[in-house]
Amino acid sequence: MTNSSYDSDAALFGNRFAVQDTPSRTFPEGGMTAVDAYRLVAEDLVIEGDPARNLATFVTTWMEPDAQRLIAENLHRNFIDHAEYPRTAEIEQRCIRMLADLFHAPGETTGARTQGSSEAIMLGALSLKWNWRTRQQAAGRPTTSPNLVFGGDVHVVWEKFCRYFDVEPRIVPLRPDKYTIGPEDVEPFLDENTIGVAAVLGTTFTGHRDDVVGINDLLVRVRDERDMDIPLHVDGASGGFVWPFLYPDSPWDFRLEQVRSINASGHKFGLVYPGVGWLIFREKADLAPDLVFRENYLGKTDETFTLNFSTGSSMVLAQYYNFVRFGRAGYRYKLQNMQHNAHRLADQLEEMGRFEVIGRDHEQLPLVAFRLAGEAPYDEFDIAWQLSAERGWMVPAYTMPPDAQEVTIMRALVKETFSQEHVDTLARDIAEACATLDAKGGAHPSERAKMVVGPGH
Ligand SMILES: *Cc1c(COP(=O)(O)O)cnc(C)c1O
């Protein structure tokens, strides 16, 4: 639609984008008004999932208004520019020291702010590889075939690290009735080329932890008896901000002597919006010195240990806001509320008589993992699909990793925004989805193929 009166109407009333093709393939010749550009983007997003109904994600979907203000006011601050923004750099260091304290580091330590646990794991595992190479060289042994040992219950980032950085993954298989790993599973995989073992605190599959204590004891024994000093890294992406508050007496951190490094996602139970993670070393010596770069590019000699360079400061500042705003008491209170509502949801699912709740008597993230208990003319994928179609709830269904791949699980995260009222509504909606499926049978396979929600967020 173009004519000069239309042009002047569009200039006055806006909304022209609504009767045009959305720019999508070529770089636009001209622009549009700010209001139109805003509406074009915002209205596109209206038809995607609502984060508040996304029970698949571990990532924070709500923060306090004052935290949001801090975030909005600091979007123009480049985090990496330590010379210009020394207070921001100091706040990063405060967060690292506070986390080292929370994780019981024995003395002075070091660490890094990252974009999330994925970057933290890449950096932590690189340090394992570099330190292993140094040990091998000192012993006059070859450095050509490093391997890393972890369970099938890890996040995909661990395999990614192995492929990107040329390390052999030694993946301990799960079992149809056991979804975490322990020392007896790990031991056969260890040798002098093992750069480290990774244990998960709060798996993405069922929210449980590997037997970190048992694996630590194994590695202590291997060190003493076989003279192989194999470090343990704990992937606390979710659990690093849960265990210290819900299970303070359960050791998984630097209280265990072979635990040399820990990662945690600030944007999961650290309760910050996406874009912040943490890597904490037990001691300074656990960070391989060759991985630290010194440069004076931005005006002052600075040390960096990152895969990324420029990034926003907002989420680091928001993390510090949460630490000082909530303290241990606040995190404990919030997590206990989440756990309370998770238990309520688990109770209601059990009362329905159709579902088995998985591992609720064990230490677990605030979530409910469940599966159909008996025979039904439909499966968990059908329920996830029906629930999303009827009510917009995003509750993922997925098969477990090998050798538990015959098992299908559904999982609902119970976060701060998920109230008792929501629990009751979701339970009712699940019952109704099952009733619909009882009447009409399982979903058509093509509907099932549209399911895009996976476990690993
Ligand atoms: C989420 C998660 C990761 C990846 O963390 P990001 O912060 O999303 O990069 C790694 N490991 C576990 C156990 C996770 O839950």
Side-chain angles (χ1 to χ4, degrees), residues 150-154 172-189 200 203 205-212 214-215 356 358-359 362 371 399-407 409:
F150 49 81
D153 55 340
V154 298
V172 181
L174 306 184
R175 295 186 227 144
D177 56 351
K178 187 165 173 284
Y179 311 137
T180 55
I181 61 165
E184 63 289 354
D185 308 307
V186 167
E187 185 160 16
F189 291 85
V200 191
T203 71
F205 299 99
T206 66
H208 296 105
R209 63 171 170 79
D210 288 336
D211 179 0
V212 190
I215 295 170
E356 171 199 346
I358 292 153
H362 295 97
R371 57 190 292 221
T399 53
M400 292 296 289
D403 288 341
Q405 67 272 38
E406 301 304 315
V407 178
I409 283 188

Side-chain angles (χ1 to χ4, degrees), residues 210-358:
D210 288 336
D211 179 0
V212 190
V213 172
I215 295 170
N216 174 72
D217 293 347
L218 165 70
L219 295 178
V220 169
R221 182 162 58 74
V222 164
R223 185 192 65 198
D224 295 345
E225 290 175 5
R226 293 165 64 187
D227 196 26
M228 298 195 307
D229 188 5
I230 300 174
L232 178 57
H233 175 100
V234 178
D235 179 353
S238 291
F241 282 105
V242 170
W243 260 256
F245 307 114
L246 288 185
Y247 311 108
D249 299 326
S250 171
W252 60 274
D253 52 14
F254 299 125
R255 282 169 285 185
L256 308 176
E257 55 185 304
Q258 285 303 104
V259 174
R260 314 303 304 187
S261 47
I262 296 171
N263 68 276
S265 294
H267 52 223
K268 291 183 175 173
F269 293 97
L271 305 180
V272 178
Y273 286 136
V276 64
W278 300 98
L279 172 63
I280 310 291
F281 290 98
R282 179 189 195 85
E283 298 168 9
K284 285 194 164 164
D286 290 306
L287 166 56
D290 284 352
L291 294 174
V292 179
F293 275 74
R294 284 175 192 78
E295 36 74 28
N296 60 3
Y297 170 59
L298 293 169
K300 175 172 164 279
T301 302
D302 195 16
E303 295 189 344
T304 58
F305 173 50
T306 60
L307 295 177
N308 298 304
F309 197 65
S310 298
T311 189
S313 297
S314 291
M315 298 311 162
V316 182
L317 302 175
Q319 183 79 83
Y320 184 64
Y321 167 93
N322 278 359
F323 288 177
V324 298
R325 157 94 176 108
F326 305 138
R328 289 177 198 247
Y331 272 102
R332 190 183 315 123
Y333 170 83
K334 282 168 178 277
L335 280 151
Q336 282 173 347
N337 284 348
M338 295 179 211
Q339 190 180 44
H340 175 88
N341 280 342
H343 287 164
R344 184 179 174 99
L345 179 59
D347 288 343
Q348 296 191 9
L349 288 168
E350 280 175 346
E351 279 159 21
M352 269 178 227
R354 298 174 188 264
F355 296 108
E356 171 199 346
V357 172
I358 292 153

Side-chain angles (χ1 to χ4, degrees), residues 367-379:
L367 59 77
V368 184
F370 58 105
R371 57 190 292 221
L372 282 165
E375 288 296 308
Y378 50 85
D379 64 14

Side-chain angles (χ1 to χ4, degrees), residues 132-200:
W132 162 81
R133 201 164 47 199
T134 306
R135 285 196 302 276
Q136 290 289 94
Q137 281 163 346
R141 285 195 294 252
T143 58
T144 44
S145 316
N147 69 69
L148 179 60
V149 176
F150 49 81
D153 55 340
V154 298
H155 188 274
V156 64
V157 63
W158 286 97
E159 274 185 77
K160 225 184 212 180
F161 164 80
C162 287
R163 199 177 303 168
Y164 290 0
F165 294 102
D166 213 11
V167 170
E168 177 203 344
R170 292 197 172 167
I171 306 176
V172 181
L174 306 184
R175 295 186 227 144
D177 56 351
K178 187 165 173 284
Y179 311 137
T180 55
I181 61 165
E184 63 289 354
D185 308 307
V186 167
E187 185 160 16
F189 291 85
L190 304 175
D191 61 29
E192 61 187 31
N193 288 320
T194 303
I195 66 171
V197 176
V200 191

Side-chain angles (χ1 to χ4, degrees), residues 63 96 188 304 366 379 381 385 424 432:
M63 288 189 76
I96 290 169
T304 58
D379 64 14
F381 292 99
W385 185 84
D424 299 353
E432 272 171 28

Side-chain angles (χ1 to χ4, degrees), residues 64-188:
E64 294 189 331
D66 292 283
Q68 300 217 31
R69 193 169 123 220
L70 197 58
I71 289 168
E73 285 171 358
N74 288 286
L75 291 170
H76 57 334
R77 209 175 286 282
N78 184 4
F79 170 77
I80 204 70
D81 199 345
H82 295 169
E84 301 305 330
Y85 306 127
R87 301 317 298 165
T88 304
E90 161 63 14
I91 285 173
E92 176 209 25
Q93 292 303 314
R94 288 181 194 166
C95 290
I96 290 169
R97 291 193 291 267
M98 287 178 180
L99 286 173
D101 176 46
L102 190 67
F103 300 161
H104 300 93
E108 206 187 333
T109 180
T110 188
R113 179 228 77 106
T114 61
Q115 204 60 27
S117 279
S118 299
E119 187 189 3
I121 287 166
M122 297 274 175
L123 290 170
L126 279 170
S127 198
L128 295 178
K129 186 177 174 184
W130 258 243
N131 285 338
W132 162 81
R133 201 164 47 199
T134 306
R135 285 196 302 276
Q136 290 289 94
Q137 281 163 346
R141 285 195 294 252
T143 58
T144 44
S145 316
N147 69 69
L148 179 60
V149 176
F150 49 81
D153 55 340
V154 298
H155 188 274
V156 64
V157 63
W158 286 97
E159 274 185 77
K160 225 184 212 180
F161 164 80
C162 287
R163 199 177 303 168
Y164 290 0
F165 294 102
D166 213 11
V167 170
E168 177 203 344
R170 292 197 172 167
I171 306 176
V172 181
L174 306 184
R175 295 186 227 144
D177 56 351
K178 187 165 173 284
Y179 311 137
T180 55
I181 61 165
E184 63 289 354
D185 308 307
V186 167
E187 185 160 16

